[in-house]
Amino acid sequence: MQIDKAVQDRAAARAAELPGSEHTHQFTGDWEVWKVGGKVFMLQTSMPGEPVVILKADPSDAEALRAAHASISPGYHMNKKHWITVRAGADVEPALVDNLVTESYLLVVAGLPKQSRPVNPASFRVPPSAD
């Protein structure tokens, strides 16, 4: 069986572009963790053999995303209101992954003390990708 890691790969590439992003590993399990200012904004793991990306989301956005995309569900092992799980699917375009990772990052940055923020979340935008 071919495991589709395209969403994880795309999300990891976007996270690596974000100022102050740190990639770590959870002490137990097979979780990849991305943080900014010591706070988690993205997780990656496999839930029964299926690679997934778990991202922070504004609750109203999370609800709309789950309604619009079959490949987006409530956050796996996280607060279901504030986190979403993204898996590979025809309804998950690379640009959507980029936007979801960026928005998750900015939500976390906005919660950091101003002096700890690597960017201003109100004005920061990642340049669009080439593809």
Side-chain angles (χ1 to χ4, degrees), residues 20-93:
S21 175
E22 302 171 56
H23 178 207
T24 63
H25 301 274
Q26 185 182 17
F27 293 114
T28 59
D30 61 345
W31 291 73
E32 302 284 322
V33 181
W34 281 261
K35 297 179 179 181
V36 60
K39 303 287 185 181
V40 174
F41 72 91
M42 183 172 79
L43 300 154
Q44 291 186 352
T45 192
S46 290
M47 46 185 268
E50 182 180 20
V52 296
V53 177
I54 302 143
L55 297 160
K56 193 165 184 69
D58 176 85
S60 60
D61 291 344
E63 190 175 317
L65 286 162
R66 289 190 297 267
H69 301 278
S71 299
I72 298 177
S73 58
Y76 180 63
H77 279 302
M78 301 298 281
N79 179 302
K80 307 301 184 220
K81 184 176 178 181
H82 295 276
W83 291 84
I84 56 172
T85 297
V86 183
R87 58 183 50 77
D91 60 337
V92 177
E93 297 288 327

Side-chain angles (χ1 to χ4, degrees), residues 17-19 102-103 105-106 109 118-127:
E17 296 172 349
L18 299 170
T102 302
E103 289 306 313
Y105 167 86
L106 292 173
V109 167
V119 298
N120 178 345
S123 62
F124 177 77
R125 294 292 170 251
V126 176

